[in-house]
Amino acid sequence: MKMTPAAVIIGSLLLLAAIVLVVVYVPWATRHDAPSEIFRSRSDLEAEGRLIYIANGCVYCHSQSIRTIDWGHGAERIAQAGDYVSDQPILLGSQRTGPDLSQEGGEHPDDWHIAHFINPRYTRPNSIMPEVAFLGEDKLQALTAYIQSLGMTDADQRMQRQIYWKKAATDAYEAGPDENVKWLSENIPQGWRDLPNPYPTTDAGLARGHLIYQQFCIGCHGPVGDGMGPAQPWLYPPPLNFTILKNREISGGILYYQIMNGITGTAMPYFKRELESEKIWDVGNYVAVYFIDDSDANAEPHGIDAAYEPGDVNR
Amino acid sequence: MTTGESTQIRTYPTALAFCITSFFWMGVATFMGLLGATFLIAPDLANNVSWLFFGRVRPVHVNMVLFGFVTPGLLATAFYYLPKVLDTELYSEKLGVTTVLLWNVVLVAAVGSLLAGHSQGREYAELVWPVDIGIVIVFLMVFVNMIMTVKHRREPILYVSVWYACAAVVLTSVTFSLGNVIWKPDTGALTGIPDAILLWFYGHNIFGLLLTPLSAGVAYYVIPRVVKSPLYSHTLSLLGFWSLIVIYTHIGTHHLLQVPVPTWLKVISIVDSVAMVIPVMAFLINIWYTAKGKLGAIHEDIGAKFVFTGTIMYFFVSIQGSMMALPVVQRITHFNNWVVAHAHIGVLGFAGMIALGGMYYILPRVSGKPLYSRLLADLQYWMVLIGMIGFTVVLTIVGLIQGNAWYNGETVYRVLPELQYYYVTRAMLGLLIFSSAVIGLYNGVRTLLSKPGEAVS
């Protein structure tokens, strides 16, 4: 084959044209524009927040693409083409240095996000995300609105739940510690309220609880459990002060349930996707022993002890 | 080489200007990479300085590596070898030098706009419309200079390096304009899933139709020159060239295998990703058989040493790339640092190494002065090599930790503490690579500032 300038230039351009036709134009021409069942359009504020998200390169660390294999992340819904029909550009992302955000809307109330943007380690002590406070209050509001819209109508439903329970949680907090603790416990199924921590207090268990507390809890509840962590000024109702809980019948089951399930409407997220059962019991007991000074670990009623537990062999 | 090259001493201001550009921007680009790597282990270090925000620093790193360091470095050598193998003068050194000046203006505009928070948010296509236009213009200026040089050639036969250089520049002008959706200045994007398909078609072709053919062009020139042998096979050159254009352009969708794009498109991208072994091995066999038995000559020439190492990295990155396109592999490797490791073997290990090699090969020839220090060049070689391989090992481990942990049901947040030490190591290796860029810049500048000597030509 004789490689003339025309062969090189025109030949390669013709090949490129044919290939663009097949792998770019045909997918575009045969695209499905039908919105998915959760689709809704964005408000002006959400659209403004999206531009801030784009300008600051959030997409490099956060995907918006839930895959069929993402059950490990607690995915409830796999992304569909119809989710993206108004996205220009589409922000699928290529890396998950941080978590996927496709369904982030309504997972937390707005104040959690503001505290997180001021410094991500306030709400997520292990986070390696940079501070975003430089954006200023207005842009943080817009960015928060955008994040809260991710998941579209699914997110809206979650947001409504956050708003509904935020009012209840705020009323309870403002009614004083007695009412607040009563309200918090009331909303837990009786079975959990009657349940003591089934495992004994051990040095190893407290060490595990201490580590989990530092990685997940310290930003809001503070190093001494008084609810004065660095996130506190940004959150309302503020993080719970554990030291007021003594003699208020806080069982291990109550602590477990609140950590597992979170308190929707407040900045307290659910941790069931991130902490296995043992870690929740351990961190609950850590709080009970060190901050409440009132632990029911291994108290009655309990079933047959787990094999590792110290004490009577016939318990 | 079939050309009868003129022995007269020429000057190559365009090649020289591209060399200086590349050495300088390698420093900027690797510093930005180091900065980003540091922020991953010390996230509060940026201290709310907006233009130091990770999401702004990272695209500066990527764009400056692509358009500041590697592409100008490869073009420097192209502007040296084109007149040589075509047995003519460059069509216009004036146009060439103007191109380089404008190129640098565009790069400054790119850095400034990204750091100021003007981004279109599409990977490899972040730059805002005026900067996009600037890039298309400089590519077209390069193309005019190349094709006019080809037109005025005295050597009738086009050497394979010429095919690669001309095709790379003209095809990238097209894919860059398409990929940046240049007809939509405000967003620079299509809507929905087709935007992702177009983006990765373009994104992958930055490697496939720009860095790879330019690197191949340099390797096809430098290796036969240094080992003083004719090229092993014209047929393999042809096969490698045409199969590269046909196959590489089909594979962009392998970035979207876990996304709702048409299945037939995924199948095409997977099949062609595996078929990439054809252009890759056609090129490598051609180069390696040309150098067969003459590795001593390659070891002796610092430029060829870089280039030959680049070809070895090309082998690794391409075979790895073919494997990574398999869905079963992507279940673990997608969305994590495995891919970052892969990108660093490709862009630094292959294209970056060859860009440096080409520049070290031509620097004495275009400046008419001997290289200031072979020792420093060797030092840079080893620092880049160790840094790049270290990067690959560390980030591959990180990727495996992330991918397996996620697949095993752990959340992203839970895995973060496990990665800390690897991120620290990665930043240290980044320091090594940045330092090597400073050494290269120093060596280049000292070469140019040294007293005029005999030309090596």
Side-chain angles (χ1 to χ4, degrees), chain B residues 408-424:
Chain B
N408 195 35
E410 287 185 60
T411 59
V412 169
Y413 183 73
R414 266 289 294 277
V415 186
L416 283 176
E418 294 176 54
L419 313 179
Q420 175 81 0
Y421 302 106
Y422 298 96
Y423 280 154
V424 172

Side-chain angles (χ1 to χ4, degrees), chain A residues 1-5 7-9 11-13 15-16 19-20 22-24 26-28 30-31 51 54-61 63-74 79-82 84-100 117-121 123-135 214-216 273-276 279, chain B residues 39-40 43-44 47-50 53-56 58-59 114 117-123 126 143 147 150 153 158 162-163 166-167 170-171 174-175 178 184 187 189-198 200-201 205 209 234 238 241-242 245-246 249-250 253 256 258-260 262 264-265 268 330-331 334-337 340 402 406-414 416-417 420 423:
Chain A
M1 175 178 184
K2 180 138 193 259
M3 292 290 273
T4 62
V8 172
I9 303 297
S12 56
L13 278 174
L15 279 174
L16 183 68
I19 293 158
V20 167
V22 175
V23 301
V24 178
V26 173
W28 179 80
T30 58
R31 72 196 180 280
L51 292 178
I54 291 171
N56 291 286
C58 306
V59 70
Y60 298 115
C61 296
S63 59
Q64 290 186 23
S65 173
I66 295 184
R67 315 166 292 171
T68 43
I69 59 171
D70 278 337
W71 55 270
H73 296 164
Q80 298 172 15
Y84 302 105
V85 291
S86 73
D87 288 1
Q88 189 189 66
I90 192 169
L91 298 172
L92 295 174
S94 60
Q95 212 187 337
R96 282 182 184 162
T97 305
D100 184 276
F117 288 140
I118 296 296
N119 188 317
R121 279 148 298 287
T123 55
R124 286 295 213 174
N126 272 343
S127 168
I128 57 169
M129 175 169 141
E131 297 158 284
V132 202
F134 68 87
L135 285 176
Q214 287 178 327
Q215 290 181 338
F216 289 83
R273 286 179 184 161
E274 298 182 301
L275 297 176
E276 301 91 329
K279 293 188 168 65
Chain B
F39 290 153
L40 287 178
D44 287 332
N47 198 26
N48 269 310
V49 176
S50 63
F53 191 66
F54 179 87
R56 300 189 188 183
R58 194 191 117 138
L114 286 172
H118 298 286
S119 166
Q120 294 182 329
R122 297 164 82 241
E123 225 169 335
E126 293 94 347
F143 178 65
I147 201 68
V150 169
R153 71 191 187 279
L158 294 184
V162 181
W163 319 341
C166 291
V170 71
L171 295 180
V174 176
T175 58
L178 275 177
K184 280 191 185 173
T187 60
L190 300 179
T191 305
I193 292 292
D195 186 48
I197 294 170
L198 173 62
W200 287 113
F201 164 78
N205 282 330
L209 294 182
H234 176 65
L238 281 170
F241 177 79
W242 291 112
I245 292 175
V246 172
T249 41
H250 278 99
T253 302
L256 301 170
Q258 300 166 343
V259 171
W264 62 265
L265 192 58
I268 287 180
Q330 270 199 27
R331 260 179 233 171
H334 195 56
F335 271 149
N336 59 47
N337 279 288
V340 183
Q402 291 176 298
W406 301 344
Y407 196 54
N408 195 35
E410 287 185 60
T411 59
V412 169
Y413 183 73
R414 266 289 294 277
L416 283 176
Q420 175 81 0
Y423 280 154

Side-chain angles (χ1 to χ4, degrees), chain B residues 62-84:
Chain B
V62 173
N63 279 280
M64 288 311 108
V65 165
L66 296 178
F67 298 117
F69 158 43
V70 181
T71 303
L74 295 169
L75 284 176
T77 313
F79 273 96
Y80 171 79
Y81 69 64
L82 282 171
K84 286 262 181 195

